[in-house]
Amino acid sequence: MGEFKVHRVRFFDYMPSGIRCMAFNRKADRLALARLNGSVEIFNFSNNYFQEKVIPGSDSRSIEAICWVGCDRLFTAGLNGEVVEYDLERLCPKYTLDAFGGPIWTAACNSAETHFAFGCEDGSVKLFEILPDKIQFERNLDRQKGRILSLSWHKTGTLIAAGSLDVIRVFDVKSGHSVQRILVDRGPAGTRNKDCVVWNVAFLSDYTIVSGDSAGKVQLWDANKGTLIKTHLVSKWDVLSLSVSENEDSIVAGTSEGTVIQFQLLSPTIGDAETQWIRTRTFKHHTHDVRAVTETKTSVVSGGLDTQLVICPRMDKVEVKSSESVLRKVIFPHRSLVSCAKKPSLLLFQFPDQLELWRLGGTDTVGKPGESLPVTRKPEKLIQLKRKGDDHICCSTISECGHWIAYSTVSSIRLYQLQCDNNNISISKVSKLPKVLRSAHQLQFSADSSKLFVASEQATIHVISLSRSECTHVHTFKPKSGSSAPVHLLAASADGQWLTSANRHCEINVYNLKKLKHHCMVPVYNSLPSAMAIHPETNNLLMAHADQQVFEFSIVDKQYTDWSRKLQKEGLHRCRSKWHTPITHITFNPSAPSQVMLHDTHMFCIIDQSLPLVDLKAQFYSRLTPKDMSETDRPSKNNAFKMCKKYQPLLHVNLLEDDWLVVVERPLIDIHSQLPAPVRQKKFGT
Amino acid sequence: MAELYEGFTLCGLAAGQSWENSGILGIEPGRDADHVIVTGAGSTVTVYKVSDQKPLGSWAAKQGQAVTCPAVLHGQTGEYVVVHDRNVLRIWRDEDINFEKVFKATLSAAVSRIHALPSSEPLVLFQRGAVRQLDALLAAPQQAVEEVLSEEEVIRWSSCFLEAEQPLLLFSTEKSGECFLYLQKLNPDVLHKYNIGSEGKGVCPIGFTATLENKCITLLCLYSSGCVYKLLVSLHPSAEGEQHLPKSLLLKLPVSKGVLHRAAIASLEEGHIAIVGAPHSASTGDRDFLCIWNTNFQTLQASKKLAGGTYGQLWCNAGKLYVTHGKVLTVLPYRCEKSSLAAALGKLKQTSTQEVMSSPSVLNWNSFPHEEAALQQRTGMRTRNSKWNLKSQATLATSINQVLEDIKGVSREEVEEVLEPFLSCSPVSPQFQLGLTDIAVELLKRCQADPGFYPQSVLARLTQTGRLSHSSCPGFLMLVLEKRDYFLAQLCLQHFPDIPEAVTCACLKAFLSVADADLVRVSVDLEGVSLMDGPGQSLEGVQNGFSPVLLEEDSCDVQLTPPKLDQSSSWTDVSLTCPVGLKKSALLNEIIQSSYSESFLLPHLKDLSAQQIILFLQYLQYLYVRSSGDVYTQLPGLRAPTITQIMDWVSLLLDAHFAVLVMAPEAKGLLAQLHRFVRSQVRLYSELGKIQGTLQELSKINKAQEIGLYSIEVIELF
């Protein structure tokens, strides 16, 4: 029963984009992160670091600075000279504004959140007033020679420190004049003809300016006198990022070498009141440029060109061992980029700029477990579909029968019909889509491929009826709570009666497709659902949440099932607690409907609902692997829980017919091999 | 080690020659070693002075007449003999100018070849197998000639010899794929017939060469399959009638594909053969090579690429090979050296030393631009420049002999003076490496004969060229030891690849017995000990926190309790003063690093006295402590002995002299220390053995299976 034939797929060339800048919102406990391809991601730190929202990027956008205002306003500025505010409900830019200063290198918001300062290519620092629904240009500070690469407000809002080439200036905000000009010395002999780029400045409330520059120095300056207090040479290469903790007792700096260095304000001798900045820790979690660092209360967060977001706990701040006290690396998105048509064995891969449709290969031999079978039919790339326009693809799906493909960007939805007879594949775009369809957060075909469900940007769900001749808009479901939160998950039942949607306010609504009305709402759980599916036979809704909890809800009875309660009691999450990536997909075994399969990045597991959950804890505390046990002792016969860690990291796992499994892996080494070469470092013995 | 010198063009080939036929019928020796008679190229006979590349005389047959066999020189009368139109014999002298007017005799049968013998009447071989001496034939030109060969049997090759003033003619024939060999003796007239036997379908003999040695003719036969067979033809065969001649495979040329068509073989002296038109390595398959092979060791000794393709014609005369290729006839002087172990290694070994010993090239009177010469040979152009080159070439060839002459009976200073220009160029020009051995042997002879004569600096220079070996000049090292020249002895140990164990042992004995005071004024290469501390320096035997502490327990388990302090048994403390001086240790290091075979060395080691053994063991112990205290198993310095070499020598010495050492009271402490070393080694290995299993597991884990972009696997979930 536990034997599967596995399509081990490694040809999904998913390449995450490098991290450019980050901003942490302490009030909302959320991290906003901008990538090199212009996409913005929001991680909810209080909800198990779940990737809550993704605003797809655009070819025309490049982000150099990102800034929160208040709890829920997010701004970015970039080299195209534009300032963008985002709509965090509809997950798209709300408006863009040209600063008219050439490329913008940096942005900073004052502590009162009344004004923005932007540092531009032409050497100007532009002040913008923040209004409730827009920002408005106020004035320029005195224009200087050389581009402004970094900015920092003093807490009082009266002074701004600006880093440029070879120089740091302090501006008086009121007068707009430069009141201090600090020369930063260039690197060691031999590099003196190269400008020293002040990549970062931070203005502390005690009028100390911290700077990080291209000569590898972190320097502390007295802003009043313009004198150097202390130099820390931390790297042979650039110091690219700098962050000061909220209470100004810690500074972290990220370098080109991939290290993150922490400085702390400590007294050199115990009991001494006098404190100074002392270099304390070095973290080396990156291989490439650390382009962004920030500090939360308990951890140091860093990201860079090697595309991974590293959340490294500060052990001196962590008191109890909890999920916060482990090092996390976020490499893959917390949603599925792969959709699968089970019957024709098709896989649809979603890239930001294209879709790829592959047909899986096959074999005509059988083998014993552990064997690798000869591939008699090779996998085949059927279609490569480039998107139109500048905006990146935000979601895509393929119908169960494999005849329909749909994808959406922030500006449009496209639906394609696929004819596939033998070796001839033809694809035709469905030209006339109903007017209501503008953009989608999630797309889902019904099990019989007769309907397309579109989670729109207005938090509603459109039901589109599909036929060969035309597509018609059937109905629009609105959430009963009236919430405008974006829907990020959709699930339809196999019998075509039920549709469920989950939005980012943790609400899960169930709609009756036959009666076209709202059926019920699942009790709100305080963690975002990360995956859900409706059981094909019992019509029970299975939900996995960002905090690793799994629930089963009976749609018909409108209550949690007994199995769900039992699972909560036994504690399924215990075995999963050491994994930190959310479950991204739930599916069922077509040939054994009692088997539920769920997976995250590191493992997949199959739970047999027909088997008791009793020995669950015992099994996971025991270190013995079942293989070592004798046939009779093996718990496999009566154990509900089977898991597999052989394939890592997983982007997608799905159960096909006849006990076939498809596993989409993306080895980290393949990602690393596509990254640019890191800065050369002398390693011992080389 | 045989060597092909830079060749030169003797003459161009006639314009009308085809791809198969070079137009040259044959090359026969002239009146001395420097003269050859070249027949062919438009029915002409030309006499060349080889060293001058100059024709001395040329005679051409009339239009319509074709020379059918190579002209020969009648050694006794100084007349040239040639046959044209098969049966017209012509005889003339150098003075004769008009070929038409010279002596002419028409014979009754067609002639195959005329063979000249230096001190005898030339032999005429008729196409039907009969043989006559020339004078007998001239007496009655129209005499009847018997038919020896059967129908369709044709002569392929012939050669003649003189054995005990009795001329012999050996010729091979072929009849419908079968090969026969005839040995014709004259006075009395005896004919022996042999069947060579065939070598399978399509494989036939294409080249022959024969030498007479010890009343036995050695016939080498090159088959088209690339095999060279050796056939021994006895001069006094016992049986009558046709006999089958057994053959033994001598050499198999790496003929990768197909068969050889145009190839020739010539036997040189000392078990060397020259082969043209066959590849020398299977990888290239290029057949346009002239190669010299050593048949004793089956090694390639020298090879030369011949531009323009070969015709499979090769003659050998007076230390020079004549080969036709492209549009020219090229003369290549060669030299074969007596077989020695070092020479047996062949060309490959020599090239490697050349690479290692790449020294700055010195341009002087006898080095010339090789590239240019080669280029001119290819084009066949003879400019003034190339003439100059060829002249210097000739000077080169004679210079070795000249040098050998010059160093006979002159004083040490003069020897140095004579050899100076020679040695300064020797690394550049490989043709001198054979001369080096000769010079060394010559000097050696003189040193042995005259005790006062010892040109140390010259000998050192010769040794440093790296071309000498013990087998090429035996006795060299012993002479050096006799003269107590430790500097040169060290050089020899470094440069000779093949020192016998007995000599190694003699060196060891000499080194051990020499007093340190005697070495003060001897300059010794201290590279082997260059970074070693001077004697008497103590060692901090701790690296990376590892302290090699010897444990007294017999168990091989690691004991964690520190050894007692009073024991002073931390074995890194023992005798950390070097028992010998720095120079002596450098010499001993050379011995330790020399190659040897245990079973041959052991009997000679027994010659050492107990004192010498103890001293050497103490030194080895010192080395061992030095090197094992270090994390690196090799002592610093380029040529420092490895710990394995040290341990091997300790074992050997103990094997050879254990009984003596046990009895000697002064060796007691030493033996106890060595016992500790052995124990520590045993323990080290047992510890390594313990982690072996773990390490094996690691290697299993690391064997990451290769997974492609797509695979299908079967798994079972528990």
Side-chain angles (χ1 to χ4, degrees):
Chain A
M1 184 197 81
E3 195 176 307
F4 293 95
K5 285 165 281 179
V6 183
H7 295 281
R8 188 172 193 174
V9 172
R10 289 184 159 198
F11 46 73
F12 181 23
D13 288 331
Y14 171 70
M15 186 64 203
S17 178
I19 294 171
R20 179 61 194 90
C21 51
M22 305 193 287
F24 184 66
N25 189 332
R26 293 188 173 91
K27 280 168 266 177
D29 206 18
R30 281 174 171 81
L31 179 83
L33 177 154
R35 294 193 183 262
L36 293 175
N37 65 0
S39 65
V40 175
E41 291 164 14
I42 294 168
F43 288 84
N44 189 340
F45 274 32
S46 47
N47 198 345
N48 208 16
Y49 305 90
F50 188 65
Q51 191 186 48
E52 201 175 52
K53 292 169 185 174
V54 178
I55 300 167
S58 162
D59 285 352
S60 60
R61 198 188 310 146
S62 96
I63 298 175
E64 283 292 315
I66 190 163
C67 221
W68 286 96
V69 171
C71 272
D72 49 2
R73 293 183 72 182
L74 186 65
F75 294 86
T76 65
L79 293 180
N80 55 0
E82 285 178 341
V83 183
V84 183
E85 184 178 356
Y86 293 91
D87 187 331
L88 296 181
E89 306 268 82
R90 294 168 59 213
L91 303 182
C92 59
K94 202 186 217 168
Y95 58 85
T96 59
L97 199 72
D98 200 319
F100 297 107
I104 301 174
W105 286 95
T106 177
C109 171
N110 66 354
S111 59
E113 296 185 337
T114 57
H115 284 87
F116 259 125
F118 294 107
C120 302
E121 174 76 15
D122 64 355
S124 61
V125 177
K126 294 179 186 292
L127 289 187
F128 278 70
E129 196 184 354
I130 303 171
L131 301 173
D133 52 354
K134 62 172 183 175
I135 58 170
Q136 192 177 329
F137 177 72
E138 200 174 271
R139 64 200 161 92
N140 279 336
L141 302 185
D142 284 357
R143 193 155 133 196
Q144 307 288 331
K145 211 176 128 219
R147 60 174 69 134
I148 306 291
L149 288 155
S150 49
L151 281 175
S152 181
W153 289 78
H154 188 253
K155 205 170 187 179
T156 57
T158 53
L159 293 173
I160 292 180
S164 183
L165 300 178
D166 288 331
V167 71
I168 301 169
R169 290 195 183 83
V170 181
F171 292 97
D172 183 83
V173 178
K174 216 172 205 175
S175 66
H177 299 317
S178 164
V179 293
Q180 199 65 257
R181 183 169 172 277
I182 303 169
L183 271 177
V184 181
D185 61 335
R186 296 181 174 185
T191 57
R192 296 210 177 265
N193 51 351
K194 266 168 60 183
D195 285 338
C196 181
V197 183
V198 182
W199 288 117
N200 290 283
V201 286
F203 215 144
L204 306 186
S205 46
D206 62 353
Y207 293 96
T208 303
I209 296 174
V210 189
S211 71
D213 58 45
S214 63
K217 306 188 295 283
V218 171
Q219 288 178 309
L220 296 152
W221 310 87
D222 186 322
N224 292 328
K225 302 192 188 84
T227 50
L228 179 66
I229 301 169
K230 177 103 185 166
T231 299
H232 295 273
L233 187 64
V234 297
S235 167
K236 279 183 184 163
W237 308 89
D238 297 26
V239 176
L240 289 171
S241 47
L242 206 62
S243 165
V244 181
S245 68
E246 190 179 15
N247 48 5
E248 297 190 0
D249 63 350
S250 162
I251 299 171
V252 283
T255 70
S256 275
E257 289 167 352
T259 50
V260 174
I261 292 137
Q262 189 184 11
F263 300 88
Q264 278 176 290
L265 192 62
L266 299 168
S267 51
T269 50
I270 295 170
D272 201 341
E274 196 186 323
T275 55
Q276 62 187 62
W277 287 102
I278 293 166
R279 178 175 168 171
T280 50
R281 292 187 189 83
T282 304
F283 307 100
K284 178 90 173 77
H285 298 298
H286 296 274
T287 54
H288 289 67
D289 289 4
V290 178
R291 301 291 287 269
V293 285
T294 186
E295 261 183 290
T296 70
K297 270 206 181 72
T298 55
S299 56
V300 174
V301 185
S302 57
L305 282 188
D306 60 359
T307 76
Q308 55 183 350
L309 174 69
V310 176
I311 302 157
C312 179
R314 282 182 60 184
M315 296 312 272
D316 54 338
K317 302 279 179 183
V318 177
E319 272 162 18
V320 284
K321 192 168 179 275
S322 67
S323 62
E324 284 186 332
S325 62
V326 288
L327 176 75
R328 286 160 189 276
K329 291 187 176 183
V330 182
I331 301 165
F332 298 105
H334 291 162
R335 65 208 159 102
S336 190
L337 298 175
V338 181
S339 22
C340 173
K342 290 185 180 184
K343 209 169 224 160
S345 298
L346 299 176
L347 288 179
L348 182 73
F349 298 142
Q350 176 190 328
F351 296 89
D353 54 347
Q354 65 182 30
L355 299 175
E356 280 183 10
L357 185 66
W358 287 74
R359 184 191 285 141
L360 290 171
T363 182
D364 44 18
T365 51
V366 288
K368 285 199 284 290
E371 280 181 14
S372 194
L373 304 180
V375 178
T376 48
R377 193 161 50 83
K378 285 195 172 152
E380 194 181 359
K381 191 204 261 189
L382 302 178
I383 285 170
Q384 182 171 342
L385 194 64
K386 296 250 189 221
R387 62 152 162 81
K388 299 281 184 295
D390 278 350
D391 296 317
H392 294 177
I393 296 170
C394 65
C395 59
S396 63
T397 187
I398 184 166
S399 68
E400 199 79 347
C401 62
H403 292 315
W404 298 91
I405 291 176
Y407 79 84
S408 172
T409 66
V410 291
S411 50
S412 66
I413 296 176
R414 275 157 203 270
L415 180 64
Y416 293 89
Q417 199 174 1
L418 206 66
Q419 243 92 38
C420 185
D421 30 298
N422 294 331
N423 288 327
N424 293 330
I425 293 131
S426 61
I427 185 163
S428 54
K429 190 185 166 217
V430 178
S431 52
K432 273 209 288 187
L433 286 181
K435 283 267 172 350
V436 289
L437 299 181
R438 296 240 313 281
S439 161
H441 288 154
Q442 186 62 268
L443 295 162
Q444 174 81 39
F445 287 100
S446 65
D448 58 359
S449 306
S450 65
K451 289 189 179 70
L452 173 66
F453 309 113
V454 179
S456 77
E457 51 184 2
Q458 284 92 12
T460 56
I461 297 159
H462 303 299
V463 180
I464 310 294
S465 163
L466 304 173
S467 70
R468 285 195 173 272
S469 51
E470 57 173 358
C471 299
T472 48
H473 177 227
V474 179
H475 188 74
T476 299
F477 290 117
K478 289 202 174 70
K480 208 163 182 214
S481 61
S483 160
S484 59
V487 169
H488 67 287
L489 290 173
L490 286 174
S493 68
D495 58 6
Q497 191 173 3
W498 307 105
L499 175 71
T500 58
S501 72
N503 69 17
R504 289 190 166 93
H505 283 172
C506 306
E507 295 170 353
I508 298 175
N509 288 295
V510 183
Y511 303 98
N512 190 325
L513 287 167
K514 296 268 163 66
K515 296 179 183 163
L516 293 177
K517 63 176 240 197
H518 184 260
H519 177 70
C520 68
M521 194 162 102
V522 179
V524 175
Y525 182 67
N526 63 1
S527 178
L528 268 177
S530 61
M532 64 179 186
I534 300 174
H535 195 282
E537 286 185 356
T538 60
N539 275 346
N540 288 340
L541 176 66
L542 261 157
M543 299 155 287
H545 290 268
D547 63 352
Q548 316 284 353
Q549 296 287 1
V550 175
F551 296 99
E552 191 187 36
F553 183 81
S554 166
I555 292 176
V556 186
D557 300 341
K558 299 188 186 178
Q559 62 173 8
Y560 286 115
T561 61
D562 289 344
W563 186 81
S564 176
R565 287 173 215 279
K566 222 185 280 171
L567 192 67
Q568 286 303 306
K569 217 166 90 190
E570 293 293 335
L572 168 69
H573 71 287
R574 273 179 184 281
C575 68
R576 289 191 42 84
S577 63
K578 62 179 168 181
W579 300 107
H580 310 294
T581 52
I583 294 165
T584 49
H585 188 222
I586 298 176
T587 187
F588 303 92
N589 191 348
S591 36
S594 65
Q595 292 180 1
V596 185
M597 202 271 329
L598 23 100
H599 84 87
D600 68 351
T601 310
H602 301 289
M603 58 168 256
F604 70 88
C605 63
I606 292 176
I607 307 170
D608 198 323
Q609 287 181 303
S610 63
L611 293 176
L613 290 162
V614 273
D615 287 337
L616 215 55
K617 262 187 242 174
Q619 187 200 343
F620 290 106
Y621 286 131
S622 136
R623 302 305 303 166
L624 263 180
T625 54
K627 244 186 217 168
D628 299 334
M629 298 183 189
S630 66
E631 199 68 38
T632 47
D633 293 344
R634 246 180 226 185
S636 62
K637 285 202 181 68
N638 46 15
N639 175 32
F641 200 94
K642 300 166 177 60
M643 63 178 186
C644 175
K645 294 177 189 167
K646 186 179 175 189
Y647 308 106
Q648 287 190 10
L650 291 169
L651 287 180
H652 186 76
V653 182
N654 215 332
L655 278 158
L656 309 180
E657 285 169 340
D658 302 328
D659 281 338
W660 276 94
L661 259 170
V662 56
V663 170
V664 182
E665 276 182 298
R666 182 62 178 156
L668 292 181
I669 192 146
D670 292 358
I671 292 181
H672 287 157
S673 66
Q674 287 187 30
L675 291 172
V679 291
R680 214 189 79 78
Q681 281 179 57
K682 173 79 184 156
K683 292 250 169 68
F684 177 76
T686 55
Chain B
M1 172 78 200
E3 190 69 37
L4 276 172
Y5 298 128
E6 198 59 46
F8 52 91
T9 303
L10 189 66
C11 64
L13 299 182
Q17 100 275 8
S18 69
W19 174 233
E20 277 84 25
N21 184 9
S22 68
I24 300 265
L25 267 182
I27 293 169
E28 291 289 327
R31 63 171 170 270
D32 61 32
D34 206 19
H35 289 77
V36 289
I37 308 162
V38 179
T39 311
S43 299
T44 57
V45 177
T46 315
V47 176
Y48 283 95
K49 184 165 164 59
V50 178
S51 56
D52 287 353
Q53 298 170 262
K54 210 163 121 187
L56 296 180
S58 181
W59 297 269
K62 204 166 65 175
Q63 195 82 33
Q65 293 174 344
V67 175
T68 52
C69 93
V72 296
L73 179 73
H74 190 322
Q76 288 168 323
T77 61
E79 290 167 333
Y80 298 102
V81 185
V82 79
V83 172
H84 66 79
D85 298 320
R86 298 221 159 128
N87 56 355
V88 184
L89 197 73
R90 295 286 191 142
I91 299 176
W92 76 99
R93 288 178 166 275
D94 269 331
E95 305 91 79
D96 297 322
I97 294 165
N98 194 343
F99 191 67
E100 288 308 308
K101 290 181 181 163
V102 302
F103 174 79
K104 177 175 172 182
T106 306
L107 306 179
S108 61
V111 174
S112 175
R113 278 221 36 195
I114 304 173
H115 286 281
L117 287 163
S119 57
S120 173
E121 202 56 32
L123 297 179
V124 179
L125 172 65
F126 288 92
Q127 280 189 353
R128 303 306 327 144
V131 178
R132 293 283 186 277
Q133 282 191 317
L134 186 63
D135 50 356
L137 195 62
L138 288 176
Q142 286 296 323
Q143 64 181 276
V145 174
E146 74 275 12
E147 295 220 343
V148 176
L149 304 183
S150 58
E151 281 294 311
E152 294 167 12
E153 198 171 354
V154 282
I155 296 176
R156 289 284 176 222
W157 166 86
S158 62
S159 179
C160 75
F161 304 95
L162 202 62
E163 167 67 18
E165 299 302 314
Q166 189 189 24
L168 290 170
L169 193 76
L170 187 71
F171 59 96
S172 73
T173 61
E174 191 186 332
K175 184 189 173 189
S176 56
E178 267 207 282
C179 291
F180 301 98
L181 196 67
Y182 293 87
L183 178 65
Q184 172 78 56
K185 289 190 209 174
L186 295 162
N187 313 330
D189 217 343
V190 187
L191 180 71
H192 296 285
K193 185 181 180 185
Y194 303 93
N195 188 347
I196 301 181
S198 66
E199 186 56 28
K201 207 161 168 66
V203 178
C204 56
I206 53 172
F208 296 90
T209 179
T211 49
L212 177 70
E213 227 171 277
N214 301 330
K215 305 204 171 193
C216 188
I217 295 172
T218 309
L219 179 71
L220 301 181
C221 183
L222 172 67
Y223 277 72
S224 57
S225 60
C227 296
V228 177
Y229 288 97
K230 177 176 163 183
L231 299 101
L232 289 175
V233 185
S234 167
L235 290 185
H236 306 289
S238 47
E240 288 294 315
E242 185 179 319
Q243 290 170 36
H244 186 81
L245 208 56
K247 54 181 184 262
S248 54
L249 182 66
L250 201 60
L251 183 70
K252 184 150 172 50
L253 297 176
V255 178
S256 51
K257 47 185 183 286
V259 292
L260 298 174
H261 295 294
R262 289 191 306 277
I265 183 170
S267 68
L268 316 175
E269 57 265 40
E270 301 281 358
H272 288 84
I273 54 170
I275 289 175
V276 74
H280 64 79
S281 78
S283 58
T284 64
D286 193 345
R287 292 177 178 186
D288 297 334
F289 273 97
L290 172 65
C291 305
I292 296 180
W293 293 83
N294 185 325
T295 53
N296 297 335
F297 299 107
Q298 311 195 339
T299 49
L300 178 68
Q301 300 286 312
S303 70
K304 187 160 188 67
K305 171 106 172 105
L306 299 172
T310 61
Y311 298 96
Q313 283 183 308
L314 180 67
W315 296 273
C316 175
N317 181 33
K320 294 183 186 70
L321 287 167
Y322 296 80
V323 60
T324 52
H325 65 97
K327 290 189 162 74
V328 290
L329 170 68
T330 295
V331 183
L332 289 140
Y334 70 91
R335 218 190 100 99
C336 298
E337 194 196 29
K338 205 175 81 189
S339 295
S340 68
L341 186 60
L345 293 172
K347 192 172 161 62
L348 296 174
K349 187 252 162 190
Q350 288 293 329
T351 49
S352 69
T353 49
Q354 271 168 29
E355 274 157 19
V356 172
M357 308 261 313
S358 62
S359 50
S361 58
V362 184
L363 265 177
N364 60 10
W365 58 275
N366 52 8
S367 79
F368 59 89
H370 294 255
E371 280 304 314
E372 205 180 323
L375 183 83
Q376 270 146 14
Q377 229 144 58
R378 267 200 297 280
T379 54
M381 278 173 10
R382 292 169 64 183
T383 60
R384 204 182 319 163
N385 197 5
S386 79
K387 268 226 170 120
W388 176 83
N389 282 339
L390 293 162
K391 236 183 213 137
S392 74
Q393 175 84 42
T395 338
L396 267 177
T398 53
S399 67
I400 294 170
N401 296 329
Q402 188 60 46
V403 166
L404 282 175
E405 279 303 312
D406 288 351
I407 58 174
K408 271 180 192 154
V410 295
S411 71
R412 191 169 61 86
E413 288 76 19
E414 281 168 313
V415 166
E416 279 169 24
E417 208 173 287
V418 168
L419 288 178
E420 180 53 40
F422 186 75
L423 286 173
S424 61
C425 74
S426 56
V428 193
S429 49
Q431 51 262 68
F432 278 107
Q433 53 180 315
L434 298 173
L436 287 176
T437 315
D438 287 347
I439 291 166
V441 171
E442 188 61 40
L443 290 175
L444 193 63
K445 270 187 213 154
R446 267 205 70 188
C447 292
Q448 280 161 345
D450 173 14
F453 178 78
Y454 186 63
Q456 195 225 16
S457 64
V458 171
L459 291 178
R461 290 280 301 274
L462 283 170
T463 313
Q464 272 163 339
T465 58
R467 310 225 187 263
L468 296 189
S469 62
H470 187 272
S471 49
S472 65
C473 42
F476 189 90
L477 192 49
M478 291 312 281
L479 174 86
V480 167
L481 285 181
E482 216 171 275
K483 301 278 180 193
R484 293 173 176 273
D485 186 351
Y486 298 108
F487 167 68
L488 198 49
Q490 189 190 22
L491 274 185
C492 294
L493 283 169
Q494 283 171 7
H495 290 288
F496 285 8
D498 53 352
I499 299 173
E501 282 78 357
V503 180
T504 312
C505 222
C507 288
L508 175 62
K509 203 169 174 179
F511 293 162
L512 285 172
S513 52
V514 67
D516 275 331
D518 294 347
L519 284 171
V520 169
R521 282 188 294 128
V522 180
S523 73
V524 166
D525 180 10
L526 293 176
E527 202 182 342
V529 286
S530 60
L531 293 174
M532 275 175 72
D533 311 303
Q537 200 191 334
S538 72
L539 243 184
E540 292 293 324
V542 181
Q543 290 257 1
N544 288 349
F546 166 73
S547 171
V549 174
L550 187 85
L551 299 171
E552 289 301 301
E553 279 68 27
D554 277 321
S555 86
C556 288
D557 290 326
V558 176
Q559 191 207 32
L560 292 172
T561 52
K564 289 161 225 152
L565 285 172
D566 59 345
Q567 220 170 350
S568 77
S569 69
S570 170
W571 51 270
T572 49
D573 301 345
V574 294
S575 72
L576 278 176
T577 47
C578 183
V580 295
L582 198 58
K583 286 180 176 173
K584 203 167 175 174
S585 70
L587 292 173
L588 289 176
N589 281 356
E590 295 298 343
I591 295 278
I592 294 170
Q593 288 170 85
S594 62
S595 49
Y596 61 87
S597 162
E598 273 181 34
S599 43
F600 291 120
L601 189 61
L602 260 181
H604 300 294
L605 274 182
K606 292 194 193 292
D607 298 345
L608 295 176
S609 72
Q611 289 312 313
Q612 286 168 336
I613 286 291
I614 290 169
L615 179 65
F616 194 34
L617 271 180
Q618 276 168 346
Y619 178 63
L620 287 169
Q621 180 195 23
Y622 165 78
L623 280 184
Y624 175 78
V625 172
R626 279 299 318 256
S627 55
S628 61
D630 214 324
V631 255
Y632 308 103
T633 49
Q634 182 147 15
L635 288 171
L638 274 177
R639 286 197 316 276
T642 63
I643 198 160
T644 330
Q645 285 169 333
I646 297 165
M647 286 315 283
D648 286 349
W649 269 96
V650 170
S651 314
L652 270 171
L653 287 176
L654 290 177
D655 279 352
H657 287 274
F658 190 66
V660 178
L661 288 170
V662 166
M663 301 302 286
E666 62 266 41
K668 219 160 235 171
L670 186 67
L671 283 181
Q673 286 297 340
L674 289 174
H675 179 52
R676 287 167 144 179
F677 293 168
V678 173
R679 284 243 305 271
S680 79
Q681 285 269 322
V682 168
R683 209 183 57 250
L684 171 70
Y685 285 111
S686 85
E687 290 298 319
L688 287 176
K690 279 181 197 167
I691 63 169
Q692 188 186 19
T694 321
L695 293 174
Q696 269 171 356
E697 283 304 311
L698 274 178
S699 68
K700 263 185 216 162
I701 292 167
N702 288 340
K703 212 184 284 168
Q705 64 196 104
E706 195 60 39
I707 303 158
L709 289 178
Y710 179 74
S711 61
I712 297 176
E713 294 171 7
V714 182
I715 58 165
E716 188 172 11
L717 300 180
F718 295 103

